[in-house]
Amino acid sequence: MARFDDDRHGEGAGKVLTRTQTRTALKRPRMYKVLLHNDDYTPREFVVLVLQHVFVMSEAEASRLMLHVHNHGVGVAGIYPFSVAETKVAEVGAAAEKAKFPLMATLEPESDGDEDDGEQGGNDGGWTHGGPPS
Ligand code: TYC
């Protein structure tokens, strides 16, 4: 029986060479800011409870962000991959609807730092509770 179809001699003879490696450029997944919006009707305590529950914040962090949004109109509650951000927006919306308050969160693509999308340094609301998750 012939030993494979290998007519090489010397170095490499008898070895099977495979060249099927694929080079895949791994990019960071695009991230999305979850923005919390102010309104005139949702009670402050309710906003704090929703932030603690949906964004896993301490009461102090949640109060700080709630006040930031109350004073500036909008703030960043967190930055996540799309599906997580989308879920958190929906959870805020569901809690607000159930309690009949107009509290609202929305999504915004986060700059990935690779392209110039016109963003200059900071963002709309600014981090108010210690920066992005590490
Ligand atoms: N402005 C609201 C009030 O005075 C409180 C509030 C804060 C509402 C943050 C929404 O995202 C919000 N009761």
Side-chain angles (χ1 to χ4, degrees):
M1 181 176 132
R3 47 169 193 104
F4 305 109
D5 191 12
D6 186 353
D7 57 5
R8 287 166 301 159
H9 301 279
E11 197 177 336
K15 289 185 184 155
V16 178
L17 301 179
T18 57
R19 284 177 188 265
T20 53
Q21 252 184 10
T22 306
R23 272 177 205 272
T24 307
L26 291 178
K27 288 207 239 165
R28 278 175 290 111
R30 182 142 209 193
M31 302 292 272
Y32 292 80
K33 291 187 278 199
V34 176
L35 303 180
L36 186 74
H37 300 269
N38 189 35
D39 67 73
D40 291 339
Y41 303 101
T42 307
R44 295 178 181 212
E45 307 75 45
F46 181 81
V47 178
V48 171
L49 285 174
V50 168
L51 289 175
Q52 286 182 255
H53 184 76
V54 175
F55 299 94
V56 198
M57 291 180 192
S58 69
E59 188 178 353
E61 289 175 313
S63 298
R64 210 168 124 78
L65 177 58
M66 181 279 294
L67 279 178
H68 173 93
V69 173
H70 177 74
N71 289 324
H72 295 91
V74 66
V76 180
I79 302 182
Y80 309 93
F82 182 79
S83 62
V84 178
E86 193 187 31
T87 299
K88 293 195 185 289
V89 166
E91 285 172 347
V92 171
E97 195 174 326
K98 191 170 173 202
K100 297 197 159 52
F101 294 131
L103 182 64
M104 189 176 67
T106 59
L107 281 188
E108 181 178 288
E110 163 75 340
S111 165
D112 62 15
D114 281 349
E115 66 205 38
D116 185 0
D117 61 4
E119 203 168 326
Q120 295 199 326
N123 51 41
D124 313 67
W127 283 98
T128 57
H129 57 283
S134 43

